[in-house]
Amino acid sequence: MAENEYALPGFHFSVDLGGTIMNCSEVSGLDMETDVIEYRDGNSQIFTTQKMSGLQKFSDITLKKGVFVDDVEFHDWFKEVSMHIPDRKDVTISLLDEEHNPVMTWKLINAWPKKVSAPDMKSDASEVAIETIEIVHEGCELVE
């Protein structure tokens, strides 16, 4: 490893919701998994199962951001969801370097919001109001 190479910090990233850049404070849930199918032929000489790859699964993505006056992007997108016809968008999440250039980019296919949470409010707290949106999607790929 060269002297100037180092692991990227996780605090410098951007989120693009179908063409709208969001100022998010947290992104979580970029998980991908493949189901395992176990099979054993009854005539097999080996007394163990064969493991094959099955369907891929993708976790729901959670985005958190500070609340700003007249910033209702999450709520507007959520209002577009009706019965079986949600407003699907491709979402791009990029990890950035110190020059603000994308170094790693994840693309979520056909994403739509399933839940929007208003901020917690406490009279004795001194913290920023944070709202949350959970989005589902039909696939996640690491774009090079």
Side-chain angles (χ1 to χ4, degrees), residues 15-18 30 58-63 77-78 80-81 85-93 106-115 133-140:
V15 177
D16 181 337
L17 291 180
L30 284 169
F58 304 95
S59 297
D60 297 347
I61 306 297
T62 301
L63 304 176
W77 190 22
F78 184 77
E80 294 297 320
V81 176
I85 309 172
D87 180 18
R88 298 173 187 267
K89 297 180 180 184
D90 289 344
V91 176
T92 304
I93 301 167
W106 294 264
K107 185 174 181 182
L108 310 177
I109 310 300
N110 291 331
W112 54 273
K114 79 170 195 176
K115 180 179 180 181
I133 187 169
E134 290 181 37
I135 57 177
V136 297
H137 56 96
E138 296 174 352
C140 177

Side-chain angles (χ1 to χ4, degrees), residues 98-110:
E98 61 274 356
E99 307 280 319
H100 314 294
N101 298 314
V103 178
M104 293 182 74
T105 300
W106 294 264
K107 185 174 181 182
L108 310 177
I109 310 300
N110 291 331

